[in-house]
Amino acid sequence: VQLVESGGGLVQTGGSLRLSCSASGLTFEDYVIGWFRQAPGKEREGVSGINGSASTTYYADSVKGRFTISSDNAKSTVYLQMNSLKPEDTAVYYCAAVGGRITTAQAMHLMAYGLGSWGQGTQVTVSS
C-alpha cells in the first residue's frame, strides 16, 4: 500500500486548502482512509476519516464545520477540503489507511496507534 499526500502550503488565517491522498496497491473500497496531523511538540491528532463506500465519515471536534472529507473511488483518492483555517491548524498532515471489515471509528482508533499504512506527510502552515 502506498499513500501520497499533496496540496499543503502556506495560507493566511481564514483561507482554504485542499489536501489530496492518492492511494495505490490496495482495493480502495475495502479501506478506511484517515487524515492525521502533528504540530511541533504536540501529539498526533486524528482529523478526519472516511470509509471505502464514503458512507461514514469522522471529524475531530476541532475541525467540524470547517473541514470536509470526500473520496473519488475511480481515482483512489481522498480529499480534505479545509476552510476557515486557523493558525492552530498548522501541522504536518498525514493520510493513513487501514483495511478490513471495521468501522470508520475503529479504523481511526487503530491508526491513532500508528497501525496501517502511512504517507510521508504534507506541511500546512496558517499564518496569523
Side-chain angles (χ1 to χ4, degrees):
V1 176
Q2 186 173 20
L3 304 171
V4 179
E5 303 96 334
S6 61
L10 173 64
V11 65
Q12 292 185 333
T13 297
S16 298
L17 284 173
R18 188 177 80 157
L19 304 183
S20 299
C21 174
S22 178
S24 60
L26 54 75
T27 302
F28 191 76
E29 293 77 9
D30 293 340
Y31 278 72
V32 173
I33 305 292
W35 284 99
F36 291 76
R37 66 186 181 186
Q38 189 163 24
K42 294 188 177 180
E43 292 187 356
R44 184 168 54 202
E45 175 189 18
V47 175
S48 186
I50 189 168
N51 66 347
S53 62
S55 60
T56 305
T57 57
Y58 162 85
Y59 294 97
D61 288 342
S62 57
V63 306
K64 281 181 181 177
R66 301 188 298 122
F67 291 11
T68 302
I69 193 168
S70 62
S71 61
D72 184 337
N73 284 28
K75 296 182 178 180
S76 296
T77 300
V78 170
Y79 304 98
L80 185 67
Q81 178 67 43
M82 306 186 296
N83 299 328
S84 302
L85 283 163
K86 306 174 181 179
E88 50 263 44
D89 294 317
T90 295
V92 178
Y93 283 70
Y94 302 89
C95 67
V98 166
R101 303 185 72 174
I102 57 176
T103 66
T104 301
Q106 290 170 333
M108 293 297 291
H109 185 74
L110 291 174
M111 288 185 280
Y113 281 93
L115 298 177
S117 300
W118 288 76
Q120 81 289 348
T122 185
Q123 176 71 47
V124 172
T125 303
V126 184
S127 63
S128 57

PDB file of all heavy atoms in Angstrom, residues 42-73:
ATOM      1  N   LYS A  42       3.603  18.571  19.759  1.00  0.00           N
ATOM      2  CA  LYS A  42       2.270  18.091  20.119  1.00  0.00           C
ATOM      3  C   LYS A  42       2.072  16.660  19.661  1.00  0.00           C
ATOM      4  O   LYS A  42       2.772  16.160  18.773  1.00  0.00           O
ATOM      5  CB  LYS A  42       1.199  18.989  19.504  1.00  0.00           C
ATOM      6  CG  LYS A  42       1.189  20.407  20.064  1.00  0.00           C
ATOM      7  CD  LYS A  42      -0.009  21.182  19.559  1.00  0.00           C
ATOM      8  CE  LYS A  42      -0.067  22.573  20.173  1.00  0.00           C
ATOM      9  NZ  LYS A  42      -1.241  23.341  19.684  1.00  0.00           N
ATOM     10  N   GLU A  43       1.102  15.999  20.271  1.00  0.00           N
ATOM     11  CA  GLU A  43       0.793  14.632  19.876  1.00  0.00           C
ATOM     12  C   GLU A  43       0.049  14.627  18.543  1.00  0.00           C
ATOM     13  O   GLU A  43      -0.618  15.596  18.171  1.00  0.00           O
ATOM     14  CB  GLU A  43      -0.061  13.959  20.951  1.00  0.00           C
ATOM     15  CG  GLU A  43       0.673  13.718  22.256  1.00  0.00           C
ATOM     16  CD  GLU A  43      -0.160  12.890  23.228  1.00  0.00           C
ATOM     17  OE1 GLU A  43      -1.320  12.577  22.910  1.00  0.00           O
ATOM     18  OE2 GLU A  43       0.363  12.576  24.307  1.00  0.00           O
ATOM     19  N   ARG A  44       0.163  13.518  17.860  1.00  0.00           N
ATOM     20  CA  ARG A  44      -0.565  13.356  16.609  1.00  0.00           C
ATOM     21  C   ARG A  44      -2.058  13.334  16.893  1.00  0.00           C
ATOM     22  O   ARG A  44      -2.507  12.713  17.859  1.00  0.00           O
ATOM     23  CB  ARG A  44      -0.120  12.078  15.921  1.00  0.00           C
ATOM     24  CG  ARG A  44      -0.731  11.847  14.552  1.00  0.00           C
ATOM     25  CD  ARG A  44      -0.013  10.729  13.840  1.00  0.00           C
ATOM     26  NE  ARG A  44       0.028   9.519  14.636  1.00  0.00           N
ATOM     27  CZ  ARG A  44       0.914   8.548  14.470  1.00  0.00           C
ATOM     28  NH1 ARG A  44       1.841   8.661  13.545  1.00  0.00           N
ATOM     29  NH2 ARG A  44       0.876   7.470  15.233  1.00  0.00           N
ATOM     30  N   GLU A  45      -2.825  13.978  16.038  1.00  0.00           N
ATOM     31  CA  GLU A  45      -4.272  14.119  16.228  1.00  0.00           C
ATOM     32  C   GLU A  45      -5.020  13.587  15.014  1.00  0.00           C
ATOM     33  O   GLU A  45      -4.669  13.902  13.870  1.00  0.00           O
ATOM     34  CB  GLU A  45      -4.623  15.603  16.435  1.00  0.00           C
ATOM     35  CG  GLU A  45      -6.096  15.898  16.518  1.00  0.00           C
ATOM     36  CD  GLU A  45      -6.406  17.388  16.492  1.00  0.00           C
ATOM     37  OE1 GLU A  45      -5.538  18.173  16.072  1.00  0.00           O
ATOM     38  OE2 GLU A  45      -7.523  17.764  16.882  1.00  0.00           O
ATOM     39  N   GLY A  46      -6.034  12.787  15.269  1.00  0.00           N
ATOM     40  CA  GLY A  46      -6.899  12.343  14.192  1.00  0.00           C
ATOM     41  C   GLY A  46      -7.808  13.471  13.765  1.00  0.00           C
ATOM     42  O   GLY A  46      -8.484  14.060  14.598  1.00  0.00           O
ATOM     43  N   VAL A  47      -7.820  13.790  12.495  1.00  0.00           N
ATOM     44  CA  VAL A  47      -8.579  14.928  11.990  1.00  0.00           C
ATOM     45  C   VAL A  47      -9.885  14.491  11.344  1.00  0.00           C
ATOM     46  O   VAL A  47     -10.958  15.021  11.663  1.00  0.00           O
ATOM     47  CB  VAL A  47      -7.730  15.716  10.972  1.00  0.00           C
ATOM     48  CG1 VAL A  47      -8.552  16.836  10.338  1.00  0.00           C
ATOM     49  CG2 VAL A  47      -6.478  16.265  11.624  1.00  0.00           C
ATOM     50  N   SER A  48      -9.797  13.524  10.452  1.00  0.00           N
ATOM     51  CA  SER A  48     -10.984  13.120   9.714  1.00  0.00           C
ATOM     52  C   SER A  48     -10.749  11.753   9.106  1.00  0.00           C
ATOM     53  O   SER A  48      -9.610  11.320   8.921  1.00  0.00           O
ATOM     54  CB  SER A  48     -11.295  14.143   8.616  1.00  0.00           C
ATOM     55  OG  SER A  48     -12.505  13.850   7.964  1.00  0.00           O
ATOM     56  N   GLY A  49     -11.838  11.048   8.809  1.00  0.00           N
ATOM     57  CA  GLY A  49     -11.716   9.741   8.186  1.00  0.00           C
ATOM     58  C   GLY A  49     -12.941   9.442   7.348  1.00  0.00           C
ATOM     59  O   GLY A  49     -14.017  10.013   7.559  1.00  0.00           O
ATOM     60  N   ILE A  50     -12.773   8.535   6.398  1.00  0.00           N
ATOM     61  CA  ILE A  50     -13.871   8.163   5.512  1.00  0.00           C
ATOM     62  C   ILE A  50     -13.711   6.696   5.126  1.00  0.00           C
ATOM     63  O   ILE A  50     -12.584   6.221   4.909  1.00  0.00           O
ATOM     64  CB  ILE A  50     -13.896   9.073   4.266  1.00  0.00           C
ATOM     65  CG1 ILE A  50     -15.158   8.844   3.435  1.00  0.00           C
ATOM     66  CG2 ILE A  50     -12.642   8.890   3.419  1.00  0.00           C
ATOM     67  CD1 ILE A  50     -15.373   9.916   2.369  1.00  0.00           C
ATOM     68  N   ASN A  51     -14.834   5.966   5.057  1.00  0.00           N
ATOM     69  CA  ASN A  51     -14.724   4.571   4.672  1.00  0.00           C
ATOM     70  C   ASN A  51     -14.784   4.431   3.156  1.00  0.00           C
ATOM     71  O   ASN A  51     -15.031   5.388   2.432  1.00  0.00           O
ATOM     72  CB  ASN A  51     -15.799   3.721   5.360  1.00  0.00           C
ATOM     73  CG  ASN A  51     -17.199   4.068   4.917  1.00  0.00           C
ATOM     74  OD1 ASN A  51     -17.421   5.104   4.277  1.00  0.00           O
ATOM     75  ND2 ASN A  51     -18.152   3.225   5.249  1.00  0.00           N
ATOM     76  N   GLY A  52     -14.549   3.213   2.702  1.00  0.00           N
ATOM     77  CA  GLY A  52     -14.392   2.987   1.269  1.00  0.00           C
ATOM     78  C   GLY A  52     -15.617   3.301   0.433  1.00  0.00           C
ATOM     79  O   GLY A  52     -15.492   3.664  -0.727  1.00  0.00           O
ATOM     80  N   SER A  53     -16.786   3.153   1.048  1.00  0.00           N
ATOM     81  CA  SER A  53     -18.009   3.463   0.319  1.00  0.00           C
ATOM     82  C   SER A  53     -18.451   4.900   0.513  1.00  0.00           C
ATOM     83  O   SER A  53     -19.484   5.311  -0.009  1.00  0.00           O
ATOM     84  CB  SER A  53     -19.135   2.528   0.782  1.00  0.00           C
ATOM     85  OG  SER A  53     -19.396   2.729   2.160  1.00  0.00           O
ATOM     86  N   ALA A  54     -17.671   5.646   1.282  1.00  0.00           N
ATOM     87  CA  ALA A  54     -17.973   7.046   1.591  1.00  0.00           C
ATOM     88  C   ALA A  54     -19.293   7.201   2.332  1.00  0.00           C
ATOM     89  O   ALA A  54     -19.902   8.278   2.311  1.00  0.00           O
ATOM     90  CB  ALA A  54     -17.978   7.905   0.326  1.00  0.00           C
ATOM     91  N   SER A  55     -19.720   6.144   2.987  1.00  0.00           N
ATOM     92  CA  SER A  55     -20.994   6.203   3.706  1.00  0.00           C
ATOM     93  C   SER A  55     -20.833   6.684   5.140  1.00  0.00           C
ATOM     94  O   SER A  55     -21.810   7.080   5.778  1.00  0.00           O
ATOM     95  CB  SER A  55     -21.653   4.818   3.716  1.00  0.00           C
ATOM     96  OG  SER A  55     -20.802   3.874   4.355  1.00  0.00           O
ATOM     97  N   THR A  56     -19.608   6.642   5.634  1.00  0.00           N
ATOM     98  CA  THR A  56     -19.356   7.041   7.016  1.00  0.00           C
ATOM     99  C   THR A  56     -18.137   7.945   7.061  1.00  0.00           C
ATOM    100  O   THR A  56     -17.105   7.621   6.469  1.00  0.00           O
ATOM    101  CB  THR A  56     -19.106   5.822   7.917  1.00  0.00           C
ATOM    102  OG1 THR A  56     -20.194   4.916   7.803  1.00  0.00           O
ATOM    103  CG2 THR A  56     -18.959   6.247   9.368  1.00  0.00           C
ATOM    104  N   THR A  57     -18.269   9.045   7.765  1.00  0.00           N
ATOM    105  CA  THR A  57     -17.149   9.961   7.941  1.00  0.00           C
ATOM    106  C   THR A  57     -16.950  10.258   9.424  1.00  0.00           C
ATOM    107  O   THR A  57     -17.858  10.075  10.240  1.00  0.00           O
ATOM    108  CB  THR A  57     -17.365  11.282   7.191  1.00  0.00           C
ATOM    109  OG1 THR A  57     -18.587  11.876   7.641  1.00  0.00           O
ATOM    110  CG2 THR A  57     -17.434  11.057   5.693  1.00  0.00           C
ATOM    111  N   TYR A  58     -15.741  10.702   9.724  1.00  0.00           N
ATOM    112  CA  TYR A  58     -15.394  11.099  11.085  1.00  0.00           C
ATOM    113  C   TYR A  58     -14.705  12.452  11.025  1.00  0.00           C
ATOM    114  O   TYR A  58     -13.929  12.722  10.100  1.00  0.00           O
ATOM    115  CB  TYR A  58     -14.443  10.079  11.718  1.00  0.00           C
ATOM    116  CG  TYR A  58     -13.708  10.626  12.923  1.00  0.00           C
ATOM    117  CD1 TYR A  58     -14.295  10.592  14.186  1.00  0.00           C
ATOM    118  CD2 TYR A  58     -12.458  11.205  12.793  1.00  0.00           C
ATOM    119  CE1 TYR A  58     -13.643  11.127  15.278  1.00  0.00           C
ATOM    120  CE2 TYR A  58     -11.791  11.741  13.885  1.00  0.00           C
ATOM    121  CZ  TYR A  58     -12.391  11.697  15.122  1.00  0.00           C
ATOM    122  OH  TYR A  58     -11.743  12.228  16.203  1.00  0.00           O
ATOM    123  N   TYR A  59     -15.029  13.304  11.992  1.00  0.00           N
ATOM    124  CA  TYR A  59     -14.348  14.591  12.126  1.00  0.00           C
ATOM    125  C   TYR A  59     -14.010  14.825  13.588  1.00  0.00           C
ATOM    126  O   TYR A  59     -14.840  14.582  14.476  1.00  0.00           O
ATOM    127  CB  TYR A  59     -15.232  15.744  11.643  1.00  0.00           C
ATOM    128  CG  TYR A  59     -15.534  15.725  10.170  1.00  0.00           C
ATOM    129  CD1 TYR A  59     -16.722  15.191   9.686  1.00  0.00           C
ATOM    130  CD2 TYR A  59     -14.624  16.227   9.248  1.00  0.00           C
ATOM    131  CE1 TYR A  59     -17.005  15.168   8.336  1.00  0.00           C
ATOM    132  CE2 TYR A  59     -14.898  16.213   7.891  1.00  0.00           C
ATOM    133  CZ  TYR A  59     -16.087  15.676   7.443  1.00  0.00           C
ATOM    134  OH  TYR A  59     -16.355  15.651   6.101  1.00  0.00           O
ATOM    135  N   ALA A  60     -12.825  15.328  13.818  1.00  0.00           N
ATOM    136  CA  ALA A  60     -12.488  15.786  15.157  1.00  0.00           C
ATOM    137  C   ALA A  60     -13.308  17.038  15.470  1.00  0.00           C
ATOM    138  O   ALA A  60     -13.648  17.808  14.558  1.00  0.00           O
ATOM    139  CB  ALA A  60     -11.000  16.106  15.243  1.00  0.00           C
ATOM    140  N   ASP A  61     -13.617  17.236  16.738  1.00  0.00           N
ATOM    141  CA  ASP A  61     -14.404  18.409  17.120  1.00  0.00           C
ATOM    142  C   ASP A  61     -13.740  19.711  16.675  1.00  0.00           C
ATOM    143  O   ASP A  61     -14.422  20.679  16.324  1.00  0.00           O
ATOM    144  CB  ASP A  61     -14.605  18.433  18.639  1.00  0.00           C
ATOM    145  CG  ASP A  61     -15.568  17.361  19.117  1.00  0.00           C
ATOM    146  OD1 ASP A  61     -16.339  16.836  18.283  1.00  0.00           O
ATOM    147  OD2 ASP A  61     -15.557  17.050  20.317  1.00  0.00           O
ATOM    148  N   SER A  62     -12.421  19.708  16.663  1.00  0.00           N
ATOM    149  CA  SER A  62     -11.683  20.931  16.348  1.00  0.00           C
ATOM    150  C   SER A  62     -11.833  21.370  14.894  1.00  0.00           C
ATOM    151  O   SER A  62     -11.522  22.509  14.552  1.00  0.00           O
ATOM    152  CB  SER A  62     -10.201  20.742  16.673  1.00  0.00           C
ATOM    153  OG  SER A  62      -9.666  19.634  15.963  1.00  0.00           O
ATOM    154  N   VAL A  63     -12.307  20.472  14.029  1.00  0.00           N
ATOM    155  CA  VAL A  63     -12.411  20.816  12.603  1.00  0.00           C
ATOM    156  C   VAL A  63     -13.836  20.716  12.068  1.00  0.00           C
ATOM    157  O   VAL A  63     -14.080  21.050  10.900  1.00  0.00           O
ATOM    158  CB  VAL A  63     -11.483  19.944  11.737  1.00  0.00           C
ATOM    159  CG1 VAL A  63     -10.047  20.011  12.253  1.00  0.00           C
ATOM    160  CG2 VAL A  63     -11.970  18.505  11.693  1.00  0.00           C
ATOM    161  N   LYS A  64     -14.766  20.265  12.890  1.00  0.00           N
ATOM    162  CA  LYS A  64     -16.155  20.136  12.426  1.00  0.00           C
ATOM    163  C   LYS A  64     -16.688  21.479  11.942  1.00  0.00           C
ATOM    164  O   LYS A  64     -16.501  22.507  12.575  1.00  0.00           O
ATOM    165  CB  LYS A  64     -17.033  19.605  13.561  1.00  0.00           C
ATOM    166  CG  LYS A  64     -16.923  18.116  13.773  1.00  0.00           C
ATOM    167  CD  LYS A  64     -17.842  17.637  14.902  1.00  0.00           C
ATOM    168  CE  LYS A  64     -17.704  16.147  15.132  1.00  0.00           C
ATOM    169  NZ  LYS A  64     -18.529  15.680  16.270  1.00  0.00           N
ATOM    170  N   GLY A  65     -17.346  21.429  10.801  1.00  0.00           N
ATOM    171  CA  GLY A  65     -17.901  22.649  10.225  1.00  0.00           C
ATOM    172  C   GLY A  65     -16.927  23.422   9.368  1.00  0.00           C
ATOM    173  O   GLY A  65     -17.325  24.349   8.656  1.00  0.00           O
ATOM    174  N   ARG A  66     -15.653  23.073   9.442  1.00  0.00           N
ATOM    175  CA  ARG A  66     -14.634  23.773   8.641  1.00  0.00           C
ATOM    176  C   ARG A  66     -13.986  22.855   7.607  1.00  0.00           C
ATOM    177  O   ARG A  66     -13.632  23.305   6.514  1.00  0.00           O
ATOM    178  CB  ARG A  66     -13.543  24.347   9.555  1.00  0.00           C
ATOM    179  CG  ARG A  66     -14.043  25.330  10.593  1.00  0.00           C
ATOM    180  CD  ARG A  66     -12.891  26.002  11.323  1.00  0.00           C
ATOM    181  NE  ARG A  66     -12.073  25.059  12.068  1.00  0.00           N
ATOM    182  CZ  ARG A  66     -10.765  24.897  11.885  1.00  0.00           C
ATOM    183  NH1 ARG A  66     -10.122  25.618  10.978  1.00  0.00           N
ATOM    184  NH2 ARG A  66     -10.087  24.020  12.619  1.00  0.00           N
ATOM    185  N   PHE A  67     -13.790  21.595   7.955  1.00  0.00           N
ATOM    186  CA  PHE A  67     -13.153  20.631   7.061  1.00  0.00           C
ATOM    187  C   PHE A  67     -14.199  19.680   6.504  1.00  0.00           C
ATOM    188  O   PHE A  67     -15.158  19.309   7.192  1.00  0.00           O
ATOM    189  CB  PHE A  67     -12.102  19.821   7.806  1.00  0.00           C
ATOM    190  CG  PHE A  67     -10.875  20.589   8.233  1.00  0.00           C
ATOM    191  CD1 PHE A  67     -10.813  21.978   8.154  1.00  0.00           C
ATOM    192  CD2 PHE A  67      -9.769  19.905   8.725  1.00  0.00           C
ATOM    193  CE1 PHE A  67      -9.687  22.666   8.554  1.00  0.00           C
ATOM    194  CE2 PHE A  67      -8.622  20.580   9.125  1.00  0.00           C
ATOM    195  CZ  PHE A  67      -8.590  21.969   9.045  1.00  0.00           C
ATOM    196  N   THR A  68     -13.982  19.256   5.265  1.00  0.00           N
ATOM    197  CA  THR A  68     -14.859  18.278   4.629  1.00  0.00           C
ATOM    198  C   THR A  68     -14.011  17.221   3.954  1.00  0.00           C
ATOM    199  O   THR A  68     -13.127  17.543   3.157  1.00  0.00           O
ATOM    200  CB  THR A  68     -15.772  18.940   3.592  1.00  0.00           C
ATOM    201  OG1 THR A  68     -16.546  19.967   4.208  1.00  0.00           O
ATOM    202  CG2 THR A  68     -16.711  17.899   2.990  1.00  0.00           C
ATOM    203  N   ILE A  69     -14.294  15.968   4.274  1.00  0.00           N
ATOM    204  CA  ILE A  69     -13.578  14.864   3.645  1.00  0.00           C
ATOM    205  C   ILE A  69     -14.457  14.260   2.555  1.00  0.00           C
ATOM    206  O   ILE A  69     -15.685  14.194   2.694  1.00  0.00           O
ATOM    207  CB  ILE A  69     -13.176  13.795   4.693  1.00  0.00           C
ATOM    208  CG1 ILE A  69     -12.164  12.808   4.105  1.00  0.00           C
ATOM    209  CG2 ILE A  69     -14.395  13.067   5.249  1.00  0.00           C
ATOM    210  CD1 ILE A  69     -11.510  11.905   5.154  1.00  0.00           C
ATOM    211  N   SER A  70     -13.824  13.849   1.469  1.00  0.00           N
ATOM    212  CA  SER A  70     -14.550  13.220   0.374  1.00  0.00           C
ATOM    213  C   SER A  70     -13.614  12.256  -0.332  1.00  0.00           C
ATOM    214  O   SER A  70     -12.407  12.247  -0.079  1.00  0.00           O
ATOM    215  CB  SER A  70     -15.074  14.269  -0.611  1.00  0.00           C
ATOM    216  OG  SER A  70     -14.000  14.982  -1.199  1.00  0.00           O
ATOM    217  N   SER A  71     -14.181  11.444  -1.196  1.00  0.00           N
ATOM    218  CA  SER A  71     -13.347  10.485  -1.901  1.00  0.00           C
ATOM    219  C   SER A  71     -13.801  10.333  -3.336  1.00  0.00           C
ATOM    220  O   SER A  71     -14.970  10.562  -3.669  1.00  0.00           O
ATOM    221  CB  SER A  71     -13.371   9.125  -1.193  1.00  0.00           C
ATOM    222  OG  SER A  71     -14.678   8.597  -1.167  1.00  0.00           O
ATOM    223  N   ASP A  72     -12.873   9.961  -4.185  1.00  0.00           N
ATOM    224  CA  ASP A  72     -13.134   9.653  -5.589  1.00  0.00           C
ATOM    225  C   ASP A  72     -12.608   8.245  -5.815  1.00  0.00           C
ATOM    226  O   ASP A  72     -11.400   8.051  -5.984  1.00  0.00           O
ATOM    227  CB  ASP A  72     -12.440  10.669  -6.486  1.00  0.00           C
ATOM    228  CG  ASP A  72     -12.760  10.453  -7.962  1.00  0.00           C
ATOM    229  OD1 ASP A  72     -13.129   9.312  -8.331  1.00  0.00           O
ATOM    230  OD2 ASP A  72     -12.614  11.401  -8.747  1.00  0.00           O
ATOM    231  N   ASN A  73     -13.493   7.275  -5.771  1.00  0.00           N
ATOM    232  CA  ASN A  73     -13.048   5.879  -5.871  1.00  0.00           C
ATOM    233  C   ASN A  73     -12.402   5.585  -7.212  1.00  0.00           C
ATOM    234  O   ASN A  73     -11.481   4.776  -7.291  1.00  0.00           O
ATOM    235  CB  ASN A  73     -14.219   4.936  -5.625  1.00  0.00           C
ATOM    236  CG  ASN A  73     -14.578   4.855  -4.158  1.00  0.00           C
ATOM    237  OD1 ASN A  73     -14.366   5.801  -3.418  1.00  0.00           O
ATOM    238  ND2 ASN A  73     -15.145   3.740  -3.743  1.00  0.00           N
TER     239      ASN A  73
END
